[in-house]
Amino acid sequence: MSKVMEETESVKSKEVEQEVKEGLEEEAEIWSWGAGTEGQLGTGKLQDEHKPKLLHSLSSFGPISHLSCGGAHAIALTPGGRVLTWGRGNSGQLGHGEMANCLHPKSVESLEGIFIKHVSAGWNHSGFVSDNGYVFTCGDGSFGQLGHGDYISRCSPVQVLHFKTKHVDQIACGMRHSLVLLKGDTEDVIYGFGSGKRGQLGISDDKQKLVNTPQVTLGFENVKIKSVTANGDHSAAISMHGNFYVWGRAFCGAPDVYRPRRVTADLYFIQVSLGWNHALVLTGDGEVYMLGRYNYNVPTYAQKANMMKHISEDEGVMQRVLDFDSAKVVQIGAGAEHSAVVTDDGSVMTWGWGEHGQLGLGDTSDQIGPHVVSLCNEQSRKPCVGRVYCGSGFTYFVGTYTVNSTF
C-alpha cells in the first residue's frame, strides 16, 4: 500500500471513529423496587414492586448525584445542591412542613438557596449537611436523634446549633441515633446523639440510653476518618488508611460494643454499609466481606455451597462473599436484611430477605446467594457506571448508560 493510500485510510479511520463517538450519548436512569406501600419507590403508587421499575418522576429535576434510603422514605441530592424527598413522612422526616406521606419526589423548600452537599435518611428522621459545614435535621426526635437538646419531632429541617461554629463533613442517620463527622487538619472527630443503649453512640463505656445533644465518640484520637455509617442500632466508620471500625449492637448475639473497635482483618476497606443484623464491607480489590448473618442462617448455606469463606475468628462471623461470577464489586448497599452490589461490568446483584420484592427478582422469595437483577437494558446501550442504594425493604439503582443515538 502506498504512503498516500495509508494516509487516506488513516483519515477515514479517524472519521469513522469520530462518527462512532458522536453517535454515543450518556443517559441516566433511576430504577426502584421492593416495599412501596408508603410511596417510597417514587412510582406514584402505594404498592410493592417485585421487579425494577424505571422512574420518570425525577427526570424534571435533572441529574441525581446521590440517594439515601431510610425506613420508608428516600432523599435525593442534585449536583446543584438541591434536596428532594418522598415516601413516609408521618414524623416530619420529609422536611415539607407537614407530617404526611408524599408519593412523588418533592423539593424541600426550606433548604432552597442552601447548597446541600450530603444527606442521610434514618428510620424516621433525616439529616442534611451544607457546603459551609452546617447541619440540619428533621423528623422523629423522640430519642434525641435530631441533636437539638430536646425530644421534639420537627417537620422542617432545623439547624443543629451545636455545630454552628464547626465545619461538618458528613451525617449518618440510623434507627434512633445520628452520627456527625468533622474533618480536622490533624485529626477527625465523630459526634453521636440519640439512643445509645446498645452502645451505638460510642460516647461511654457504659449504657447511655438517651442523649439529645451531640457528644464526642471515643477512640478516634489521631485517626483520619473517610466515612461514617449508621443503621439499626449499629455504627461504623472507615479510616483513610482502610481500617474498619464498628460499635453499637453486636452481631450474632455477641456483647454490645460501647466504644469503637477496629475489626481485626488484614485488609484495606473502602466502603461499609450496615443492615439490622449484618454489615457489608468492600475492599480496594473489589472483594466483599460480611459481618453477622440473616435470620435464615447464611453461614449454614455457606458451609454447604462454599459461597462464603471465614477470614476472622473475631465474633466468628466475618466472611468473604465469593459468588460474583468472577467480577469485581465496585459498590455495595445493605437494607434491613438484604444486600446489593454493583460489579465492574455494570451488573446489579442482590440477595437476602425478599418478602417485599426488594431483591428485584420478580418474586418475594429469600435468596441466600447473589443473583443478577434484570434491568431490561436494550442491546444498544451498555451500563458505564451505577450505584445501588438500599432502604429497609426497598432498593434503588442509579445508572449511567452509553446510548447509540444512531439507532
Side-chain angles (χ1 to χ4, degrees):
M1 182 183 294
S2 68
K3 185 176 181 180
V4 174
M5 291 180 66
E6 288 179 355
E7 291 177 350
T8 302
E9 289 298 323
S10 177
V11 170
K12 288 182 178 179
S13 177
K14 289 180 180 179
E15 289 176 349
V16 171
E17 183 179 348
Q18 183 62 32
E19 288 177 1
V20 171
K21 287 182 178 178
E22 289 177 353
L24 297 178
E25 298 178 357
E26 286 194 352
E27 180 178 295
E29 292 183 347
I30 301 177
W31 302 76
S32 65
W33 59 91
T37 55
E38 295 185 83
Q40 61 266 54
L41 297 183
T43 59
K45 300 177 181 179
L46 297 176
Q47 64 184 41
D48 293 354
E49 298 290 352
H50 300 163
K51 291 183 178 181
K53 295 295 181 181
L54 182 61
L55 290 186
H56 300 286
S57 56
L58 285 167
S59 59
S60 62
F61 297 100
I64 298 299
S65 59
H66 180 71
L67 274 174
S68 183
C69 300
H73 73 292
I75 307 174
L77 188 62
T78 72
R82 188 180 185 185
V83 179
L84 313 167
T85 61
W86 63 96
R88 184 169 65 202
N90 60 351
S91 295
Q93 60 266 50
L94 301 183
H96 295 161
E98 59 182 0
M99 295 186 178
N101 294 356
C102 184
L103 274 65
H104 297 283
K106 180 180 177 181
S107 178
V108 179
E109 294 182 0
S110 64
L111 292 178
E112 291 185 357
I114 302 173
F115 192 104
I116 300 298
K117 68 173 185 178
H118 190 260
V119 298
S120 180
W123 178 251
N124 272 336
H125 72 294
S126 303
F128 316 88
V129 179
S130 69
D131 61 345
N132 56 5
Y134 293 159
V135 182
F136 304 84
T137 58
C138 63
D140 182 16
S142 58
F143 295 87
Q145 64 266 51
L146 301 186
H148 299 304
D150 54 37
Y151 302 99
I152 300 173
S153 298
R154 290 166 170 82
C155 57
S156 292
V158 176
Q159 185 177 354
V160 182
L161 296 180
H162 184 88
F163 301 109
K164 188 175 183 179
T165 60
K166 301 176 175 65
H167 192 93
V168 171
D169 187 69
Q170 299 172 25
I171 186 169
C173 299
M175 176 81 75
R176 305 177 185 93
H177 75 293
S178 303
L179 303 175
V180 163
L181 172 64
L182 275 69
K183 304 286 287 184
D185 294 332
T186 58
E187 67 179 18
D188 300 333
V189 181
I190 298 175
Y191 288 80
F193 42 98
S195 174
K197 68 177 183 178
R198 304 302 295 268
Q200 62 265 47
L201 302 182
I203 63 176
S204 173
D205 291 326
D206 300 316
K207 293 182 179 181
Q208 295 285 333
K209 291 186 178 181
L210 298 177
V211 177
N212 59 21
T213 56
Q215 305 292 322
V216 174
T217 297
L218 305 175
F220 285 110
E221 295 78 10
N222 301 315
V223 177
K224 297 295 291 182
I225 303 298
K226 178 181 178 181
S227 63
V228 291
T229 307
N231 195 9
D233 296 324
H234 309 289
S235 300
I238 299 289
S239 77
M240 296 299 292
H241 290 100
N243 295 323
F244 170 39
Y245 298 84
V246 292
W247 61 103
R249 180 185 171 191
F251 301 99
C252 296
D256 293 340
V257 180
Y258 292 92
R259 296 187 63 170
R261 182 180 66 185
R262 178 184 169 186
V263 176
T264 55
D266 188 20
L267 295 164
Y268 182 85
F269 295 107
I270 61 172
Q271 187 189 353
V272 56
S273 189
L274 297 173
W276 289 355
N277 298 302
H278 75 294
L280 291 184
V281 278
L282 177 64
T283 72
D285 294 326
E287 298 175 345
V288 178
Y289 292 82
M290 191 179 81
L291 278 170
R293 64 183 64 179
Y294 303 116
N295 287 339
Y296 32 87
N297 209 340
V298 168
T300 299
Y301 169 76
Q303 294 165 5
K304 291 180 179 179
N306 197 29
M307 304 303 288
M308 295 188 179
K309 177 184 177 183
H310 286 269
I311 63 153
S312 173
E313 293 305 316
D314 184 22
E315 293 187 0
V317 294
M318 191 152 190
Q319 309 153 82
R320 178 183 169 192
V321 185
L322 299 175
D323 188 27
F324 295 115
D325 297 330
S326 300
K328 288 186 177 180
V329 173
V330 296
Q331 194 253 333
I332 57 176
E337 291 193 68
H338 77 288
S339 300
V341 302
V342 179
T343 60
D344 57 2
D345 64 358
S347 297
V348 181
M349 303 183 77
T350 60
W351 69 99
W353 178 40
E355 180 181 352
H356 299 284
Q358 60 264 49
L359 303 185
L361 303 176
D363 55 37
T364 57
S365 299
D366 300 336
Q367 298 292 337
I368 49 181
H371 287 69
V372 176
V373 179
S374 175
L375 296 175
C376 302
N377 295 326
E378 299 172 359
Q379 293 183 356
S380 59
R381 63 187 180 184
K382 181 180 180 181
C384 295
V385 64
R387 293 188 65 83
V388 68
Y389 304 91
C390 296
S392 62
F394 62 103
T395 311
Y396 272 80
F397 176 72
V398 180
T400 302
Y401 299 87
T402 299
V403 182
N404 192 334
S405 60
T406 61
F407 284 16

